[in-house]
Structures are given as C-alpha cells and as structure tokens.
Amino acid sequence: MKQYKKGFELKNAAKDKMEGKYSGSILIILLSALISGMVRLSINSVCGTTMNTVYAMTGSAGAATAVSFLFDALLLAAGIISGVMNAGITLYFLNLACGQPAAIRDLFYGFRTDSKQFLVISAAMMLCQAVCLYPGQYLSQNYLTTWDIKWLLYALAAMTAGCCLYVPVSLGIAMSFYLMLDFPQNTGRETLALCWRIMRGQRKRLFILELGFLPLMLLCILSFGIGFLWLEPYMQMTYTCFFLDLMNPKEA
C-alpha cells in the first residue's frame, strides 16, 4: 500500500530544501512576473488608446467593445506564451529539490527545447482559467459600469459555477509541467492525460495543501505584499515536494 506524506511533512521538507537558497528563487520568480507584467501592461496600454481612438472616430460603443474583445484574445495568447516560463520555474525548483545545479537561465528552458509541448500545457491551463473565470469577471465589470443589481446576481452565479468547475480541473492538470520534464518524449496532450490519471484521488490532498497557505497569504497582504517574495518560493518548493512524493511514495 502506498503511503504519501502529510501536508506538514511536505512543508517541512520544503523548508529544509529552501534553506540558504531564497535569493536565486526570489530572483527567478520576480523576473518571470516582471516579464509577464510588462507584456500585459503594454497590451493594456495599446488597448486603451485604440479603444478611445475607435470610439472618437466612429462614435460607436459596439466598435470599441469589439476592439476590447480583440485585445482580450491577444492577452490570452500572450499569457499562453509567457506561461511557458512556468516550465523553467518548475525545472529550477526540481533541480534545487534534487540537489542539482539550478540557474536563472532555467527560466527560459521551455523556449530552448521543443516549445510546442510546453505551449500545449500552458494553453490548457490558460483556457481552463479563461472559460471558467472570465465570464464572472466580465459580468462583474458590467455591474460596476451600470450598478444594475441583476448584473451582480449574474456575476455571482457565474463565479460560483466557474469556481466549481475550475478547481477540480486545474488540480487535475497542476503537475503537468513536472511530468513534461520527467517524460520529455511525450506530447503535450499525452502529458495532460497522464497528469489527469495520476492525480485521481490526489486532487483533494493538493487542494488541502493549498488551503494551508491561506493564513500565510493573509500575513503577506498585511506586510503590503513584501512577504510574498519569500512565500512564493516556499510554495513552489512545497509543490515540488508534493510531486516527488506523488511519483515515489513510501510503501506502508
């Protein structure tokens, strides 16, 4: 019978593996966030300017809305491409956890190898988020624009339904980048299918593990976000320990 580690054991293992290694871990996560943020900021800036220009030229709110949807699609595509950097972050923490050399250049590993595999996984994660969560966000924006209570009710219903779908699906494919690095001969679709099979019976364990970080997140918010610099690497290493335990559990 397989015996998996409990949540506190995984967190303690992550603390031990992260001792003295926070500087590089913080840097690679900050660099990833900076690149993604700059891309999103650039697209949003161009989007706002273009929408104002289209509205001034046509006087049509519908045309401006169409431009907005076009840039939303562009943001989604940019998110998929920048999501490939998650493969590099995963590799970096796997190297740390296994005592192998880890470097900042690992961040771009997904672009140096067969990017198609990692793009498929990134696309699956981003599309899952878009399909499940974007409708609720769009309806809430309508409420903030009109202050019509019906939009608030629609938004709450969409968010509830979206979260009920997003949580199990996202947990089911959460370890896909780890598996892609372990089985590089597989295609992206094969890796997603393999991850879904492996995570059967394990999604609840991962969900409870993630819930355990909520108190630390609240403390980080109280520190004006500074605490996230240390919490993010710690969480990433904990997920890495979860994957290693998932693939090589003890025999009871």
Side-chain angles (χ1 to χ4, degrees), residues 70-148:
L70 178 63
F71 277 94
D72 285 341
L74 185 59
L75 277 172
L76 179 61
I80 291 172
I81 295 172
S82 60
V84 175
M85 288 189 293
N86 288 323
I89 294 175
T90 301
L91 175 64
Y92 181 89
F93 282 91
L94 269 175
N95 285 335
L96 284 184
C98 298
Q100 300 296 320
I104 300 301
R105 65 175 179 272
D106 291 340
L107 179 63
F108 305 104
Y109 175 80
F111 298 103
R112 297 199 307 266
T113 57
D114 188 356
S115 301
K116 182 180 178 181
Q117 298 168 312
F118 296 110
L119 279 170
V120 169
I121 295 173
S122 180
M125 293 180 172
M126 285 298 299
L127 289 174
C128 172
Q129 181 178 333
V131 170
C132 297
L133 304 183
Y134 282 13
Q137 295 178 13
Y138 174 74
L139 293 171
S140 63
Q141 288 175 358
N142 281 350
Y143 169 69
L144 294 175
T145 302
T146 63
W147 296 104
D148 189 338

Side-chain angles (χ1 to χ4, degrees), residues 213-243:
F213 289 114
L214 286 179
L216 291 176
M217 290 180 179
L218 292 175
L219 291 176
C220 290
I221 293 173
L222 294 176
S223 70
F224 301 100
I226 297 175
F228 282 106
L229 293 176
W230 286 267
L231 179 59
E232 285 289 340
Y234 171 49
M235 290 174 61
Q236 190 68 46
M237 182 57 78
T238 304
Y239 297 143
T240 302
C241 292
F242 175 89
F243 171 74

Side-chain angles (χ1 to χ4, degrees), residues 44-68 71:
N44 284 326
S45 177
V46 175
C47 175
T49 303
T50 305
M51 285 180 63
N52 292 333
T53 302
V54 169
Y55 185 75
M57 293 176 63
T58 64
S60 171
T65 302
V67 172
S68 175
F71 277 94

Side-chain angles (χ1 to χ4, degrees), residues 117 120-121 124 169 171-177 179-180 183 186-200 203:
Q117 298 168 312
V120 169
I121 295 173
V169 174
L171 290 173
I173 60 176
M175 298 289 112
S176 296
F177 280 121
L179 287 170
M180 189 75 260
F183 303 97
N186 290 350
T187 65
R189 292 180 62 183
E190 289 172 342
T191 301
L192 289 167
L194 175 62
C195 186
W196 189 262
R197 291 197 301 272
I198 289 177
M199 287 299 292
R200 285 176 184 168
R203 284 180 289 189

